[in-house]
């Protein structure tokens, strides 16, 4: 059984930083790309960032490019999202997911396992 458990969310002020973690179990983590998505109340799930199985390729949504960094540690079966210069519009539940493939994907349709999410709230 595949499990993804996110952590690291919280309430911060605009301009602060947070580091999210997502620990995976039940699947050969290093074979698949990973992604972070977010969902704000009343809005659709939105792509944030993705990383290939080796970590050599990353891709970001325009809204977070230059502020967020995705990384992974295959030895620890964990993917991270470093979020700097946070803005109130970054407020959402952040969800990690395992892709169906080894290469980076931005479409949620290309992911088949999802975590429960961790809340990030940025106050102005």
């Amino acid at each position: 059984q595949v499990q993804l458990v996110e952590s690291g969310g919280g309430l911060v002020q605009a301009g602060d930083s947070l580091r999210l973690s997502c620990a995976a179990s039940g699947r050969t983590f290093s074979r698949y790309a990973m992604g972070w998505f977010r969902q704000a109340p009343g809005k659709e799930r939105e792509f944030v960032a993705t990383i290939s199985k080796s970590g050599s390729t990353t891709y970001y949504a325009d809204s977070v490019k230059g502020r967020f960094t995705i990384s992974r540690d295959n030895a620890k079966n964990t993917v991270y999202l470093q979020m700097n210069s946070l803005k109130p519009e970054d407020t959402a539940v952040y969800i990690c997911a395992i892709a169906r493939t080894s290469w980076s994907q931005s479409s949620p349709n290309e992911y088949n396992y999802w975590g429960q999410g961790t809340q990030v709230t940025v106050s102005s």
Side-chain angles (χ1 to χ4, degrees), residues 49-68:
T50 181
I51 187 166
S52 61
K53 67 174 183 176
S54 66
S56 60
T57 303
T58 58
Y59 179 66
Y60 299 90
D62 287 343
S63 58
V64 307
K65 202 173 295 183
R67 299 188 298 122
F68 290 11

Side-chain angles (χ1 to χ4, degrees), residues 86-98:
L86 282 161
K87 305 175 181 180
E89 51 264 43
D90 293 320
T91 295
V93 174
Y94 283 71
I95 308 159
C96 72
I98 298 177

Side-chain angles (χ1 to χ4, degrees), residues 21-124:
S21 299
C22 173
S25 62
R27 202 177 198 198
T28 308
F29 178 80
S30 60
R31 290 183 181 176
Y32 300 96
M34 297 291 294
W36 283 96
F37 292 78
R38 66 187 181 186
Q39 189 161 19
K43 294 189 177 181
E44 292 188 356
R45 189 165 293 185
E46 174 189 24
F47 166 74
V48 175
T50 181
I51 187 166
S52 61
K53 67 174 183 176
S54 66
S56 60
T57 303
T58 58
Y59 179 66
Y60 299 90
D62 287 343
S63 58
V64 307
K65 202 173 295 183
R67 299 188 298 122
F68 290 11
T69 302
I70 188 171
S71 61
R72 65 191 295 163
D73 185 337
N74 285 343
K76 295 182 178 179
N77 285 0
T78 301
V79 63
Y80 305 96
L81 186 68
Q82 177 67 42
M83 305 186 296
N84 299 330
S85 303
L86 282 161
K87 305 175 181 180
E89 51 264 43
D90 293 320
T91 295
V93 174
Y94 283 71
I95 308 159
C96 72
I98 298 177
R100 304 177 191 274
T101 61
S102 62
W103 55 90
S104 306
Q105 303 277 5
S106 61
S107 168
N109 295 329
E110 298 301 327
Y111 292 79
N112 52 359
Y113 294 101
W114 297 83
Q116 294 298 309
T118 184
Q119 176 70 47
V120 171
T121 303
V122 185
S123 63
S124 56

